[in-house]
Amino acid sequence: MGKLEVPPGWICQAYRFEVDRASRYQSIPSHEGARRFAWNWALGLIEEQLHARSTYRVLAIRQGASTDEADAYAEQSVKLQALVEMNEGRRKTHEHKVTSGERKSAYRPVSESVPWSSEAMRFIWNREKHEIAPWWSENSKECYTSAFEALSRAFKNCFNSRDGIRAGRRVGWPKYKRRGGRQSVSFTTGGIGIIDRHHIQLPKIGHLRVKESTDKLGLRLVGGTARILRATLTSDSATTVVSFSVLVQRDKPAYRQSGVCGHDVGISSIITGSDGHVVENTKPAEQIQAKVRRYQRRMDRQHRTGSPRCFNHDGTHVKGTCYWKTRSVRAKKNQRHLARTHSKASNIRKDTIHKASYRAATTYAINVVEDLNVGGMGRRGQGKRGFNDAVHDAALGEFRRQLTYKCSWHGSELWVADRWYPSSKLCSRCRMRNAGLLRSARVFRCERCGLVIDRDLNAAKNLAALTEFACVCLMAQLMTGEPVDWSSLPIRPSGWGPDKDTRSSRGSARAGGRKADGGERKTAQHSSAGDRSFHREVAVATGPVASLGGVSHSPKKAVV
């Protein structure tokens, strides 16, 4: 069995430990800088190869060659240039190894002109590292390998996004890395492990003291129920964290979940369950707002004093670049305070959602959530600044992401309601739809049965009721033997994805047909009906969407 294959009954889980006083270890910034150097070097090499290919192609076209002939000539010329550089590098590397008494290694020919893969980048790096980075042996080889793997993965995501293979927001061309910000280094081989309760070991870096206890992971490693696959060292301005990717054998839970619960996420109350359990929004961004403003004003004064040429005569910052490179001790200290303040808000937000998702996964056998387009909700639009800030602070998509893996850990099921299902506008008692319900209305009032209920609780009850419809479809599948076409139903199992022909991941015209055929409005603009709202339930698609009450079904019926 391969190293990355997950055996039956095992899962891939992460254990994170914060390094205690990371500034004591000088090897940590050294490894991060080496990885950053390898990334920038490989990215520059690829761009040089592409520029050379483009130059040869233009020369061939100017000489009267056709497009195909120009492409073939450019490919052959670039490969010939790569072979010449390889022979030159082979001679220099051989001289270096002979003088140092090392064994001469075997070389293989260059297989491609542009080193897109991590193997090709690593091969060229091993040939030229003695000249471009004579200090390479001071750090672990894993920091260079992790840079090439990440860059290769970045190019793959970029090309898949351009071709429409990758879903989600458009992925651009990889950029050069700079100092500061988030830095990370990954290790897959070498001395990776747990030393004792508060010490871990990484290759070349050595022993690191961590703040949290490592007993939970250490006991599993000793008992043979866990195996470390990768260790990732991540640093930012506030903390330095070591994350272990571990294969863990999980036993079946002794408790047994029962019942169904629908979960409606929102801003005023982050999570509202159909059982009446409400998780209030702690609003961590508002808690730290006063400190953030104070630290930012102080940083602005330090910036103006430490680098006056960064600002124009009217007080605005010059465009293009910043000259504030060397910062004072107080400026660095203030920057750390600002980063720790933002980290505190992030920790408060994560703690709230982790507790709510754990309760849902361990209490109920079936959990139902909505397929929200959180990225589209927080985009530009007139009068949306406060709403966007509230959406980002609430982290509406994090609850579903955590439920996706926690339900599989604890033996429960996760079902996802359709994005266009009007859960907030349907009466949970009589199923009558209130099309005129505004987003500002926090109480739902039914004109038919007279039900008066909280808006979020009503939506959660409607989500829980969808499981009855799904159970009917599954029973029909067992009786007839025909699979269920979940693309035309208002609910689907978690992990099932719609076909690319029915819904575009970015809601663009590449999906084929109108936006109503499954596409999504990108911004809060005027629709054909004159609506300028950005509420997701106003723009109900007339394509492959079905619901339970008051909404017309799609012409394409479900196959059951």
Side-chain angles (χ1 to χ4, degrees):
M1 182 172 294
K3 184 177 181 181
L4 296 181
E5 295 181 3
V6 182
W10 292 58
I11 62 171
C12 187
Q13 185 176 345
Y15 290 84
R16 300 174 72 251
F17 305 99
E18 183 179 351
V19 180
D20 186 14
R21 291 182 291 175
S23 59
R24 298 181 300 171
Y25 307 100
Q26 300 298 329
S27 56
I28 293 180
S30 177
H31 279 71
E32 295 171 350
R35 184 186 184 277
R36 183 173 62 250
F37 176 85
W39 171 287
N40 294 337
W41 170 83
L43 181 57
L45 176 65
I46 291 175
E47 291 182 349
E48 288 178 2
Q49 295 283 359
L50 294 177
H51 179 70
R53 177 182 292 183
S54 177
T55 303
Y56 284 121
R57 185 176 182 275
V58 171
L59 291 176
I61 292 178
R62 288 181 177 178
Q63 295 296 329
S66 62
T67 304
D68 297 338
E69 293 175 352
D71 293 338
Y73 172 75
E75 185 72 19
Q76 183 180 3
S77 301
V78 172
K79 283 188 176 182
L80 181 61
Q81 181 181 358
L83 288 173
V84 172
E85 294 178 356
M86 184 195 68
N87 293 330
E88 184 67 18
R90 177 190 302 178
R91 181 183 60 80
K92 294 181 179 180
T93 305
H94 173 67
E95 295 176 356
H96 168 76
K97 290 189 175 183
V98 169
T99 54
S100 60
E102 299 180 3
R103 181 177 60 87
K104 179 181 178 180
S105 60
Y107 288 86
R108 58 179 176 85
V110 176
S111 59
E112 54 185 351
S113 56
V114 181
W116 299 113
S117 63
S118 59
E119 293 80 7
M121 299 179 195
R122 187 164 56 249
F123 170 73
I124 301 176
W125 167 264
N126 291 333
R127 190 180 68 228
E128 301 179 0
K129 61 185 179 182
H130 299 285
E131 296 184 3
I132 61 177
W135 39 262
W136 67 271
S137 59
E138 299 178 1
N139 306 297
S140 174
K141 61 172 184 164
E142 292 294 318
C143 62
Y144 313 111
T145 303
S146 63
F148 302 145
E149 291 178 353
L151 183 59
S152 177
R153 187 164 54 252
F155 277 116
K156 181 180 179 181
N157 295 336
C158 176
F159 298 146
N160 290 344
S161 179
R162 291 182 179 180
D163 297 339
I165 301 175
R166 177 185 172 90
R169 193 173 295 180
R170 185 70 174 267
V171 179
W173 187 265
K175 298 181 180 179
Y176 289 92
K177 294 187 177 296
R178 59 179 179 82
R179 296 192 179 200
R182 184 178 179 273
Q183 305 288 337
S184 64
V185 181
S186 298
F187 305 91
T188 56
T189 60
I192 303 174
I194 305 296
I195 303 301
D196 54 32
R197 190 175 185 182
H198 285 283
H199 290 85
I200 62 176
Q201 182 178 359
L202 296 178
K204 280 285 187 177
I205 297 180
H207 296 182
L208 298 177
R209 178 175 174 82
V210 294
K211 296 181 179 180
E212 299 87 356
S213 174
T214 60
D215 289 344
K216 184 177 293 186
L217 176 58
L219 293 177
R220 284 187 173 271
L221 294 174
V222 174
T225 59
R227 182 170 48 141
I228 297 178
L229 300 179
R230 178 186 294 265
T232 303
L233 181 67
T234 306
S235 300
D236 53 21
S237 301
T239 58
T240 299
V241 178
V242 178
S243 177
F244 291 99
S245 298
V246 185
L247 277 181
V248 179
Q249 182 181 10
R250 294 191 68 92
D251 299 330
K252 293 183 178 180
Y255 48 84
R256 184 176 180 85
Q257 301 92 337
S258 61
V260 179
C261 186
H263 305 277
D264 181 77
V265 295
I267 297 177
S268 58
S269 299
I270 295 183
I271 302 163
T272 303
S274 58
D275 58 349
H277 180 74
V278 178
V279 179
E280 298 294 339
N281 189 359
T282 56
K283 299 181 180 180
E286 293 186 3
Q287 297 183 23
I288 65 170
Q289 190 174 16
K291 288 187 177 181
V292 168
R293 288 179 177 177
R294 182 168 69 251
Y295 293 145
Q296 287 180 342
R297 288 196 301 266
R298 185 181 302 171
M299 183 174 294
D300 181 72
R301 293 193 299 267
Q302 293 169 346
H303 190 180
R304 295 178 183 275
T305 304
S307 182
R309 61 173 180 167
C310 289
F311 299 89
N312 298 317
H313 296 288
D314 56 352
T316 59
H317 198 284
V318 296
K319 296 182 179 180
T321 184
C322 181
Y323 304 98
W324 195 29
K325 306 300 181 181
T326 304
R327 303 189 180 187
S328 62
V329 176
R330 290 186 177 181
K332 294 180 180 179
K333 183 178 180 180
N334 182 69
Q335 187 178 10
R336 288 194 300 268
H337 286 322
L338 179 62
R340 289 174 183 174
T341 305
H342 284 293
S343 179
K344 179 181 178 181
S346 177
N347 293 335
I348 295 174
R349 187 181 303 111
K350 291 178 181 179
D351 180 72
T352 303
I353 301 178
H354 269 294
K355 292 178 179 178
S357 59
Y358 177 80
R359 176 188 178 274
T362 57
T363 305
Y364 297 99
I366 300 178
N367 294 277
V368 186
V369 295
E370 293 175 301
D371 182 18
L372 293 178
N373 182 19
V374 181
M377 293 171 61
R379 292 181 182 174
R380 65 181 183 273
Q382 185 176 2
K384 286 191 61 181
R385 179 177 179 180
F387 179 77
N388 294 345
D389 294 341
V391 168
H392 294 157
D393 188 25
L396 300 182
E398 182 67 14
F399 181 70
R400 176 189 169 184
R401 187 193 72 85
Q402 294 184 10
L403 272 183
T404 302
Y405 66 87
K406 288 186 179 182
C407 286
S408 61
W409 286 5
H410 301 284
S412 56
E413 297 292 336
L414 178 63
W415 289 74
V416 182
D418 190 84
R419 180 169 296 179
W420 306 109
Y421 178 69
S423 59
S424 299
K425 296 190 176 183
L426 292 179
C427 178
S428 58
R429 179 186 297 175
C430 64
R431 305 301 182 203
M432 179 182 178
R433 182 181 177 187
N434 185 1
L437 183 66
L438 300 177
R439 187 172 58 89
S440 58
R442 305 312 309 165
V443 178
F444 180 87
R445 303 178 186 274
C446 182
E447 299 178 356
R448 176 187 295 178
C449 64
L451 177 65
V452 179
I453 189 175
D454 181 75
R455 176 196 182 101
D456 297 336
L457 181 59
N458 178 71
K461 289 181 177 295
N462 287 326
L463 293 176
L466 284 177
T467 56
E468 301 176 1
F469 183 72
C471 290
V472 173
C473 297
L474 293 177
M475 291 182 63
Q477 176 180 345
L478 294 176
M479 296 176 61
T480 61
E482 296 292 335
V484 179
D485 184 12
W486 296 105
S487 61
S488 57
L489 298 180
I491 190 172
R492 65 177 187 271
S494 177
W496 183 90
D499 298 333
K500 296 184 181 298
D501 297 336
T502 59
R503 175 181 295 173
S504 171
S505 60
R506 290 182 293 273
S508 61
R510 287 191 296 273
R514 309 182 308 274
K515 289 182 179 180
D517 294 334
E520 304 163 6
R521 295 185 301 169
K522 287 188 175 182
T523 59
Q525 300 175 350
H526 289 278
S527 64
S528 58
D531 169 57
R532 62 180 302 174
S533 171
F534 45 84
H535 195 276
R536 65 179 183 84
E537 294 175 352
V538 175
V540 178
T542 59
V545 176
S547 62
L548 295 182
V551 182
S552 60
H553 289 262
S554 168
K556 179 181 177 182
K557 295 183 179 180
V559 180
V560 294

